[in-house]
Amino acid sequence: MTVTRASAPRAAQAATQAISAAGLRKSYGDKVVLDGIDLSVPQGTVFSLLGPNGAGKTTAVKILSTLITADVGELSVGGHDLAADPQAVRAAIGVTGQFSAVDGLITGEENMLLMADLHHLSRREGRRVAAELLERFDLVEAAKKPAAGYSGGMKRRLDIAMTLVGGPRIIFLDEPTTGLDPRSRHTMWGIVRELVADGVTVFLTTQYLEEADELADRIAVLHDGKIAAEGSAEELKRIVPGGHVKLRFTDPDGYRSAASALRDAARDDEALALRIPSDGSQRELRSILDWLDSAGIEADELTVHTPDLDDVFFALTESAAAPARNNQPKEAVR
Ligand SMILES: Nc1ncnc2c1ncn2[C@@H]1O[C@H](COP(=O)(O)OP(=O)(O)O)[C@@H](O)[C@H]1O
Ligand SMILES: [Mg+2]
């Protein structure tokens, strides 16, 4: 589903991908965790790898950020081949792991200065960058206190601030909001949006469909070691059954004549409503409207129902044994 312009030269195309993986495989013993994964993330976009606990999200992040090696796969990050030049990859990226890198025994500011040292910033430059990031992440008041006393949301903000000390253009965020309260989660979403506004590429893993829907330009659903589906939130929503147009009538006679004209529609006689299967696309809506007009049907209310990402997730990951939610066939993206 990736759109590529045929006219663009190959090298230019590759250069616009901040992250790309082809045929990525990783096993632990005889447990296959990643079973041949392809992904590409254009510069300056948010890519979300979505999957439940144990799906292999952290494994993918660790591989792409050079912490562990893949068994097989052609991988490139920031224009550098992972196998040939891991040092260059490390210089281009920042990683905020699922488990915090914050040292609780020292203050937030000391954690920041430690990162500045690791990035070989001068003492003066380190202080400047630390102060700027502490301010940006609303940690000025807490900066002189031991990080052990920080709330979950503050620790997560400090973690990201530490990741940004080196000015990375590509950032991996592994489940940045897991365990956060709703307010801290929204703060984190704001931070991700700001990063993207600055042109940073974000690779984000999450278990939350809502989060991927909010933030990501593209979403890949990881299931059984494979990408079960990939696309924009809208594209993913369109592939699952459940989308429909609902027509409601107030006049029983109008309802009955519409129901006999629209034989394929599902009837709800009590609500005087008809459901017409639809992907919610403009094209389908137009043809439904044209058709209603030509049949002389005028509903009192017309609403479009698109499935949400939860529907997508269930449709893609439930085994075939699970009861179908309606009788439309399931489609796979790839
Ligand atoms: N170092 C390891 N040794 C053996 N198995 C591992 C190791 N790391 C992860 N796994 C297994 O790989 C699978 C995927 O783990 P992980 O990538 O952490 O998933 P997620 O981040 O999506 O929750 C799990 O079954 C996990 O138990
Ligand atoms: Mg994980």
Side-chain angles (χ1 to χ4, degrees), residues 29 36 40 59 81-82 145 147 154 168 178 180 187-189 191 199 201-202 207 213 220 229 248 292 330 333:
S40 63
T59 302
D81 185 88
L82 244 95
K145 295 180 189 139
M154 285 161 75
T178 297
L180 293 188
T187 306
M188 196 56 74
W189 291 355
I191 289 170
T201 305
V202 178
Q207 302 190 35
D213 197 358
R248 269 185 8 101
L292 292 174
K330 285 180 184 174
V333 180

Side-chain angles (χ1 to χ4, degrees), residues 71-88:
D71 298 337
V72 191
E74 270 181 52
L75 311 171
S76 127
V77 173
H80 309 285
D81 185 88
L82 244 95
D85 204 355
Q87 271 311 115

Side-chain angles (χ1 to χ4, degrees), residues 53 57-58 98 174-175:
N53 239 331
K57 302 182 296 298
T58 298
Q98 187 173 2
D174 194 8
E175 297 201 30

